[in-house]
Amino acid sequence: QELAQWFDGANANRNIAVVTGKISSIVVLDFDGPEGMNTLHTMGVRSTIMSSTGKGKHLVFQRPEEGRGNSVRTLPGMDIRGDGGYVIVAPSIHPSGRRYAWVLDAITPPKFPETLLGATVAQAESKNPTGWVSDALAGMQVGNIDNTLFKICSRLRRDGYTKEDALVLLAP
């Protein structure tokens, strides 16, 4: 009944997201645009659970036991959505007007392809530049405020800050 209220009638075109990482036990490789499609083709990686998106494809995998964080542009046109992340899923509608759609060959996702990403993933996740919060806030503008704050809060959470500490840091 609650879901019907959320998604019936005037609310029928609401978007849906799935939390990635430890909560859902999945990690998603997010390939966007021609660059991402080229990377996907070059890697040759496949998943039994895939989604077409507004600009590319999501490939769903089991979360490795040691975990997997988020990283942006891990490879050209490819992001990783893991612990502390999320992805928009079908039947959501992308701002381009394209509807997300599932492509399922199985219900259980395959194991995360660590060997396909190797050092590139470890290198992308180990970046910890000085001044990253001030840099992120300086680049915040209309159109990316929510995404910027989400990234900052996810990073603070991953680094062990409590909700209270994060609020103190971001209040100014």
Side-chain angles (χ1 to χ4, degrees), residues 31-78:
F31 297 91
D32 286 329
E35 190 178 45
M37 294 300 95
N38 186 50
T39 296
L40 174 59
H41 177 73
T42 301
M43 289 175 64
V45 66
R46 299 198 185 282
S47 175
T48 54
I49 301 176
M50 185 175 67
S51 172
S52 61
T53 69
K55 299 186 295 182
K57 302 223 179 284
H58 288 159
L59 276 65
V60 180
F61 296 94
Q62 293 176 23
R63 177 185 177 269
E65 277 188 42
E66 66 276 9
R68 172 62 66 210
N70 294 300
S71 62
V72 177
R73 296 198 51 83
T74 307
L75 294 172
M78 186 192 86

Side-chain angles (χ1 to χ4, degrees), residues 1-138:
Q1 185 177 13
E2 186 176 6
L3 287 174
Q5 290 174 345
W6 289 354
F7 297 103
D8 281 351
N11 299 322
N13 287 329
R14 283 189 169 174
N15 287 343
I16 302 169
V18 171
V19 175
T20 56
K22 189 173 185 176
I23 290 173
S24 60
S25 298
I26 63 169
V27 173
V28 175
L29 300 184
D30 180 3
F31 297 91
D32 286 329
E35 190 178 45
M37 294 300 95
N38 186 50
T39 296
L40 174 59
H41 177 73
T42 301
M43 289 175 64
V45 66
R46 299 198 185 282
S47 175
T48 54
I49 301 176
M50 185 175 67
S51 172
S52 61
T53 69
K55 299 186 295 182
K57 302 223 179 284
H58 288 159
L59 276 65
V60 180
F61 296 94
Q62 293 176 23
R63 177 185 177 269
E65 277 188 42
E66 66 276 9
R68 172 62 66 210
N70 294 300
S71 62
V72 177
R73 296 198 51 83
T74 307
L75 294 172
M78 186 192 86
D79 300 337
I80 297 176
R81 300 293 175 219
D83 297 344
Y86 69 94
V87 291
I88 305 298
V89 298
S92 300
I93 300 175
H94 189 267
S96 68
R98 292 182 62 192
R99 191 171 288 277
Y100 289 69
W102 289 109
V103 178
L104 304 171
D105 291 331
I107 297 174
T108 304
K111 291 187 184 276
F112 186 75
E114 289 286 341
T115 56
L116 293 175
L117 300 175
T120 307
V121 173
Q123 185 179 35
E125 290 185 348
S126 66
K127 293 177 184 173
N128 192 13
T130 303
W132 66 270
V133 173
S134 58
D135 289 347
L137 292 174

